[in-house]
Amino acid sequence: MNWDDTTDPEAAERLVGSVADGEDQAVEAALRPKDLDEFIGQEKVREQLDLVLRAARARGATADHVLLSGAPGLGKTTLSMIIAAEMDAPIRITSGPAIQHAGDLAAILSSLQEGEVLFLDEIHRMSRPAEEMLYMAMEDFRVDVIVGKGPGATAIPLELPPFTLVGATTRAGLLPPPLRDRFGFTAHMEFYEPTELERVIHRSANLLDVGIEADGAAEIAGRSRGTPRIANRLLRRVRDYAQVKADGHITREIAEAALAVYEVDARGLDRLDRAVLEALLKLFGGGPVGLSTLAVAVGEERETVEEVAEPFLVREGLLARTPRGRVATPAAWAHLGLVPPGARAAGNGQGDLFGV
Ligand SMILES: Nc1ncnc2c1ncn2[C@@H]1O[C@H](COP(=O)(O)OP(=O)(O)OP(=O)(O)O)[C@@H](O)[C@H]1O
């Protein structure tokens, strides 16, 4: 695995990375829940969305615009498809970076059918002029198409059929308030509990026709970083291992052995995460240490450490970012089976920096 040539750090090819790779995209279509009942977890979001959709259906109206925010792989695309299915409407899928000019957006909007769902992924990455066109489209179902340039330019108003915009973003805070305010329903998607991920894994194993024991699913769920996409990906790798090294059936032992081969540890940390933690603990006594120094110590770019490894370590309470540098928490020492220097000095005699 190569960490170096990653222009978008989240796009790094990681087994525990939450961005979809080519293989994911092919399998994900088959594994997506098709309606709200099949969608696991996110109880509040499901309940609220169910009300929004039922009420719209009862009125015979198009559903209000929906904004979904949350980390990659938590089910935003899946929910947008469910919204379309529940409204018995077609869906058009595009993304912010694909809409660089207002004209790109006008072309999409003017070709929508009545009631159609427009899914706009990474909506925070749309260009400014397109964003402004979207305000009017969302509110009045109308756009002004500018024809010509300079003083002779004229705005031709174009009526649009009512449609439902489903915007998705990993960074709700980056959306300008006028855009955020135009969504009738906003939902924040949380990371999943391990028991919910177990249900995701059982469901996927069933669809993939793979036998799995309850404790095998629990083992994979505990390493999936709260993310269904990662759970499904780890399941596929464990399935490979079970097929090649055993009879294809997934037990806890098989899951453990397979994930040891792929260097995903009991808490879901991979090789890079562990390298960062080990350097912080073993070379710098738990910090504080500057990001650049830490990056040099693990032979990675600053950005890779900061954007690929750190968010999960911080979320897990293993590392803290402080004004004086990166600091390991007591949980980090415990996770690597090491004893902090302070505890040694206190003479508890439980070993040293390099292992107990
Ligand atoms: N609640 C869920 N229940 C079952 N499977 C789920 C759930 N949420 C997501 N998945 C599965 O996880 C995978 C990723 O989901 P999805 O593509 O919807 O995530 P996303 O949030 O749109 O990610 P991105 O932001 O990268 O587009 C899909 O295969 C989907 O089937």
Side-chain angles (χ1 to χ4, degrees):
M1 224 178 289
N2 177 13
W3 307 105
D4 294 329
D5 52 3
T6 320
T7 42
D8 173 3
E10 265 288 37
E13 262 183 46
R14 300 175 85 193
L15 204 50
V16 292
S18 41
V19 170
D21 61 21
E23 189 194 347
D24 283 329
Q25 284 161 8
V27 185
E28 275 179 3
L31 297 182
R32 279 186 205 288
K34 303 277 182 288
D35 58 35
L36 275 180
D37 288 337
E38 268 189 62
F39 193 81
I40 293 162
Q42 311 287 344
E43 302 299 338
K44 266 283 153 245
V45 172
R46 250 176 352 127
E47 187 187 348
Q48 294 167 350
L49 194 56
D50 186 43
L51 284 173
V52 170
L53 300 181
R54 272 172 198 258
R57 272 201 312 261
R59 289 193 301 268
T62 303
D64 251 350
H65 304 304
V66 175
L67 178 65
L68 304 171
S69 69
L74 297 187
K76 298 183 293 298
T77 308
T78 304
L79 261 192
S80 75
M81 291 179 171
I82 289 176
I83 291 172
E86 298 267 349
M87 295 304 291
D88 204 9
I91 182 166
R92 184 88 56 97
I93 296 182
T94 184
S95 73
I99 300 177
Q100 281 316 310
H101 307 285
D104 300 336
L105 183 64
I108 294 172
L109 291 171
S110 61
S111 64
L112 290 177
Q113 297 174 39
E114 180 159 350
E116 190 158 355
V117 171
L118 174 63
F119 178 59
L120 227 169
D121 205 2
E122 298 188 75
I123 191 169
H124 59 277
R125 292 179 62 192
M126 223 175 11
S127 73
R128 204 58 216 243
E131 204 173 88
E132 278 163 14
M133 174 178 274
L134 193 59
Y135 297 162
M136 195 196 273
M138 290 171 77
E139 200 152 279
D140 303 329
F141 298 110
R142 190 168 69 85
V143 288
D144 281 340
V145 179
I146 310 292
V147 180
K149 281 199 170 124
T154 40
I156 302 180
L158 189 67
E159 295 293 323
L160 302 173
F163 65 95
T164 300
L165 177 70
V166 180
T169 179
T170 49
R171 319 276 293 270
L174 292 187
L175 283 194
L179 180 56
R180 227 177 321 156
D181 294 347
R182 282 172 167 80
F183 287 96
F185 175 65
T186 301
H188 180 70
M189 320 239 334
E190 303 287 349
F191 286 101
Y192 290 66
E193 295 298 327
T195 50
E196 294 170 336
L197 291 178
E198 283 172 41
R199 287 165 56 204
V200 170
I201 291 165
H202 278 296
R203 180 180 171 277
S204 301
N206 202 19
L207 290 170
L208 296 170
D209 206 13
V210 183
I212 186 164
E213 309 264 317
D215 54 6
E219 195 57 50
I220 300 173
R223 303 179 189 218
S224 300
R225 303 162 80 114
T227 309
R229 173 173 290 138
I230 299 177
N232 283 339
R233 194 184 299 142
L234 294 185
L235 170 66
R236 300 203 305 273
R237 296 293 72 83
V238 174
R239 171 189 64 173
D240 294 347
Y241 183 95
Q243 241 169 32
V244 174
K245 301 271 188 183
D247 61 358
H249 194 74
I250 300 176
T251 61
R252 184 166 61 80
E253 290 73 25
I254 291 282
E256 273 175 359
L259 294 171
V261 170
Y262 290 108
E263 298 183 288
V264 178
D265 78 12
R267 209 161 165 168
L269 275 65
D270 72 353
R271 192 186 55 78
L272 175 67
D273 303 321
R274 289 179 68 89
V276 169
L277 268 197
E278 278 182 24
L280 180 57
L281 301 185
K282 293 184 176 176
L283 300 178
F284 306 108
V289 60
L291 174 62
S292 304
T293 310
L294 192 56
V296 170
V298 294
E300 296 289 350
E301 297 294 324
R302 237 179 97 91
E303 290 73 22
T304 308
V305 172
E306 187 174 26
E307 293 172 43
V308 179
E310 279 189 357
F312 180 65
L313 296 175
V314 171
R315 207 178 99 211
E316 282 289 289
L318 296 169
L319 178 146
R321 292 168 168 161
T322 74
R324 293 175 54 223
R326 273 49 179 174
V327 179
T329 65
W333 292 95
H335 185 63
L336 292 195
L338 303 173
V339 176
R344 270 197 311 155
N348 66 3
Q350 284 200 358
D352 62 25
L353 265 180
F354 299 95
V356 282

